[in-house]
Amino acid sequence: MIGYYVHHQGRGHLHRAQCIAAQVAEPVTVLSSLPQPAEWRGPWVPLPPDTADDPVDHTARGRLHWVPLHHRGHRERMGRIAEWIRAEHPALFVSDVSVEAATLARLMGVPVVVAAMRGDRRDEAHRLGYDLADALLAPWPHTLPEPGWPAHWYAKTVHTGSISRYDRRPRPAVGGDRARTHGEVVVMLGAGGADVTPADLRAAARATPGWSWTVLGGAGAAWTEDPWPVLCRASVVVTHAGQNAVAECAAARVPTVVIPQDRPHGEQHATARALRAANLASVRETWPSAGEWPALLAEAVARPERWAHWCPGDGAERAGRLLTELAARPGRQAACVPR
């Protein structure tokens, strides 16, 4: 059995877990505050929320990320994870992502894989989580490593390339080729929060006559559970730099404008820098002014399509092999015998 902690922010962590679990030989149990998806057929351990409006010493003096003192939800959350580990004796625990969940599993004698994130992870908490991990799972290509990591992190990192629920999914039939100068702009803002306002979108659309604009997610727009057909018909996709959003654009092989949003540790800006360095997408650090959009869309559609460099299509299989191999390491049976 493999335990898989899935963070509740956005939907990217869950989508990635589902893709990877489908490629693992071992049974996988998800532990998460997210509701169990209808399509998930494996075990699911619901975790209580541990949010707090006014947390007390929630970083343990800078050593961790979220451990609020005297918080019943947090205590119950950690207790459920610990009880599941005690009862199931998992061969491996995957954290995507929580330093606290990874540390708890390792304290209970379970090997740990941590889903790595781009950005500055040199704080005390990340150093703890990355140091104690048996392996780091990096969903980006090895040719675009995250700079500044210590050597022992690189040594245990498996770069899979991006992981998307759309990898190798057949494209729907779309009449004709994508327009090179006009067509449909799809704005994909996701479920993890956005810095773009409806006024920003209206101004961009007014500045680009001949282009139609479709908005998926964000303020005032309906959530689209399966944007694949819309991505495939788009002439250009405009999105943030979240790992899941970039992976879906890469899987669709669609010209993309990436505008990173502010996230802890500069995660999205780090991803945007890697995309710019590899000339994979048009990157702007902030939302462009209305007058910049005509040239920006033309730039995006003129860029040679190189998304296979970021998304080779077998990222989930590579991750699945890693988890299967680690779960089968010698010593597993001894670790699973109750004392």
Side-chain angles (χ1 to χ4, degrees):
M1 175 68 74
I2 293 175
Y4 202 126
Y5 175 90
V6 175
H7 196 275
H8 55 272
Q9 183 71 26
R11 293 295 181 269
H13 302 288
L14 174 59
H15 291 160
R16 181 160 58 205
Q18 290 174 290
C19 293
I20 294 173
Q23 304 298 325
V24 177
E26 292 273 343
V28 175
T29 295
V30 168
L31 303 94
S32 181
S33 297
L34 289 171
Q36 180 176 345
E39 64 272 18
W40 180 265
R41 295 291 181 259
W44 187 283
V45 176
L47 301 177
D50 62 350
T51 55
D53 294 331
D54 189 20
V56 178
D57 190 20
H58 66 279
T59 68
R61 298 174 178 83
R63 294 302 189 267
L64 294 167
H65 288 148
W66 190 255
V67 284
L69 283 174
H70 308 301
H71 190 290
R72 183 172 298 179
H74 176 72
R75 187 179 300 116
E76 178 68 15
R77 184 185 190 86
M78 293 293 104
R80 289 193 189 179
I81 296 173
E83 174 57 26
W84 180 83
I85 292 174
R86 188 201 65 78
E88 298 296 334
H89 311 291
L92 187 68
F93 190 90
V94 183
S95 177
D96 187 3
V97 284
S98 165
V99 168
E100 293 74 31
T103 303
L104 175 61
R106 187 62 189 86
L107 283 169
M108 297 184 71
V110 180
V112 171
V113 171
V114 169
M117 306 284 281
R118 285 195 179 270
D120 185 357
R121 308 289 165 172
R122 292 171 294 181
D123 59 280
E124 294 283 353
H126 274 111
R127 283 187 176 274
L128 172 63
Y130 284 25
D131 283 350
L132 64 78
D134 289 73
L136 297 174
L137 182 62
W140 56 80
H142 70 91
T143 53
L144 293 168
E146 187 61 15
W149 280 13
H152 65 281
W153 288 5
Y154 288 124
K156 61 183 176 182
T157 297
V158 175
H159 293 88
T160 64
S162 69
I163 298 171
S164 170
R165 53 183 167 161
Y166 299 138
D167 287 340
R168 298 178 177 170
R169 180 168 169 176
R171 300 179 61 85
V174 178
D177 296 329
R178 287 192 180 101
R180 302 298 291 178
T181 57
H182 295 85
E184 183 176 10
V185 180
V186 172
V187 182
M188 186 168 65
L189 298 178
D195 303 329
V196 183
T197 68
D200 292 330
L201 294 168
R202 289 193 297 269
R206 286 195 299 268
T208 52
W211 291 87
S212 64
W213 287 65
T214 300
V215 181
L216 307 177
W223 173 254
T224 302
E225 187 62 36
D226 183 10
W228 178 248
V230 184
L231 293 178
C232 289
R233 79 182 188 219
S235 301
V236 178
V237 173
V238 178
T239 190
H240 52 82
Q243 286 186 5
N244 189 64
V246 173
E248 293 191 347
C249 293
R253 304 297 195 253
V254 62
T256 305
V257 174
V258 173
I259 305 170
Q261 297 176 353
D262 289 334
R263 290 292 184 270
H265 309 283
E267 173 201 343
Q268 291 202 10
H269 288 280
T271 297
R273 286 193 293 270
L275 296 173
R276 181 189 285 119
N279 196 29
L280 298 176
S282 296
V283 175
R284 298 295 184 272
E285 291 301 316
T286 59
W287 187 262
S289 66
E292 294 177 86
W293 278 103
L296 181 53
L297 296 179
E299 172 191 315
V301 297
R303 172 172 283 98
E305 196 279 293
R306 300 181 60 246
W307 273 125
H309 181 65
W310 187 267
C311 176
D314 63 348
E317 289 95 322
R318 295 185 193 189
R321 287 195 297 271
L322 169 67
L323 302 191
T324 299
E325 291 168 4
L326 290 178
R329 275 184 174 178
R332 169 184 171 184
Q333 295 302 318
C336 292
V337 175
R339 295 183 183 273

